Amino acid sequence: MVIEVVRIGQRLVRDDRVTTHVALVSRAFGAKRIYMTEVNPEIKDTVEKINKTWGSNFEIVFIDKWKPILKKKKDEKFKIIHLSMYGENINSVEEDLRKEEDLVIVVGAEKVPREIYELADYNVGVGSQPHSEISALAILLDRIQKGKQFEMEFPGAKRKIIPTKNGKNVQVKETRD
Ligand code: SAM
């Protein structure tokens, strides 16, 4: 299963920190790439630095408009999941989501255009209360993968954490640069 994320409509009063965290959750929870509109280019540098140190080929792709990418993904047979507090309860759709092949998950910032609700194969609510795109995305990715994402290897890592009961244990790989 390939999972990708589309972050749409960052608020003009900049939402950089939230958007960075949406990208970090996507990367750490097993998505392959994130598409973003209206974003500060520094976010890409931040995530690329994290890739360099902690591994993975996770990609940030800047886009002008969300519609062409969602249409392209539909043509590529991805199912579109739109995270919205108005959507179907995650508890009742998670099993169906796990049976799907490739998924693209849409998260909003401010008011999401009506068209996205119609384009989506699933509108999914992580509960029916407003909260945060970061938490909604993390919970959705966890329900779909049932924790398997935390066993994933991150290729090319210079540092690797060895989980430990007490303190910090980090394996450091020697590289020339
Ligand atoms: N009022 C906005 C709307 O009508 O879409 C909500 C904006 S909310 C701050 C930003 C994003 O967080 C939403 O677009 C949605 O993707 C996500 N989100 C917030 N609460 C959610 C929930 N309970 N379930 C799923 N997604 C949620």
Side-chain angles (χ1 to χ4, degrees), residues 83-86 107-110 112 124-127 129-133 136:
L83 275 168
S84 160
M85 64 178 179
Y86 304 103
V107 294
E110 48 191 358
V112 171
V124 178
V126 179
Q129 297 291 328
H131 49 90
S132 126
E133 50 270 53

Side-chain angles (χ1 to χ4, degrees), residues 97-136:
L97 298 181
R98 286 199 287 268
K99 289 183 197 143
E100 297 290 2
E101 278 295 320
D102 299 331
L103 303 174
V104 59
I105 301 168
V106 182
V107 294
E110 48 191 358
K111 198 168 162 36
V112 171
R114 177 80 222 160
E115 224 181 323
I116 297 216
Y117 290 81
E118 281 146 23
L119 210 60
D121 296 288
Y122 299 89
N123 289 288
V124 178
V126 179
S128 305
Q129 297 291 328
H131 49 90
S132 126
E133 50 270 53
I134 304 167
S135 63

